[in-house]
Amino acid sequence: YCLILPAILLIAMAGNSGCKVYSFRDIAIPDSIKTVKVNFIENRAPYVNPLLSPRLTDRLRQKIVSQTKLSQTNNDNADWNISGQITNYSFSTSGISSETGKSSVSTNRLTVTVHIVLNDQKANKTQEYDVSRNFEFSGNQSIQQAEASLGDEIIRGMTDDIFNRIFSNW
């Protein structure tokens, strides 16, 4: 009996701490902020994926317009001016397997980092954020294959992280 109760409690706690999907809907935008300008996110990483900058910029603009009350503008006098640059886009080995004494790469990792600058022109204040995310892919895939298969996931994940960092201060 003494061993059963702690085991039941442990199972109950494990069941409650499973994977959860978190949603950041508490968007914090001051009432005085009405317009936003999202500048082109430049790719300054040593390795350049030519599709990443335009797709990431476009997706961030779409997300801001669809999920906030802000109006997108191209005027430099927007209430908020968002700019950024991709500072890291690199590949590394993240897993090695050993079969019959022979080592081989089982998984690789693509790391993407974007430096974001939020210029609040009404408050005359600038905030800077670094947003980084890793994307795993099979060691059997070439870099080009990984980029093709991960493209949508990279854009969606990085856009969500940038949005959450700016608007939810997460």
Side-chain angles (χ1 to χ4, degrees), residues 24 26 32 54 64 73 110-111 118 127 153:
F24 295 94
D26 296 330
S32 62
I64 290 171
T73 182
L110 167 61
T111 302
L118 171 63
Q127 296 175 327
E153 181 183 347

Side-chain angles (χ1 to χ4, degrees), residues 15-150:
N16 288 335
S17 65
C19 295
K20 295 181 181 176
V21 176
Y22 292 98
S23 167
F24 295 94
R25 302 229 184 254
D26 296 330
I27 297 173
I29 303 171
D31 289 336
S32 62
I33 305 300
K34 306 286 184 216
T35 60
V36 63
K37 178 181 181 186
V38 178
N39 295 291
F40 184 75
I41 298 172
E42 296 181 38
N43 198 333
R44 302 259 172 116
Y47 179 91
V48 175
N49 175 334
L51 301 176
L52 186 59
S53 287
R55 288 184 66 202
L56 186 59
T57 303
D58 186 52
R59 182 74 179 255
L60 183 59
R61 286 176 180 154
Q62 289 174 11
K63 188 169 181 84
I64 290 171
V65 168
S66 69
Q67 295 188 13
T68 71
K69 62 179 180 162
L70 299 178
S71 297
Q72 169 71 33
T73 182
N74 289 324
N75 295 332
D76 288 332
N77 62 349
D79 298 333
W80 278 4
N81 196 322
I82 299 171
S83 59
Q85 56 186 274
I86 300 162
T87 57
N88 183 29
Y89 188 88
S90 60
F91 299 90
S92 61
T93 300
S94 61
I96 297 176
S97 65
S98 179
E99 294 179 22
T100 63
K102 208 177 188 186
S103 295
S104 64
V105 175
S106 61
T107 45
N108 287 316
R109 176 177 295 143
L110 167 61
T111 302
V112 181
T113 305
V114 179
H115 182 77
I116 295 293
V117 178
L118 171 63
N119 184 357
D120 182 341
Q121 302 204 86
K122 292 242 177 180
N124 198 21
K125 142 176 124 168
T126 300
Q127 296 175 327
E128 298 189 33
Y129 310 102
D130 284 314
V131 177
S132 189
R133 188 179 266 219
N134 295 319
F135 302 91
E136 305 289 326
F137 62 96
S138 171
N140 297 329
Q141 287 185 310
S142 69
I143 291 171
Q144 293 78 16
Q145 290 170 325
E147 287 176 316
S149 67
L150 291 172

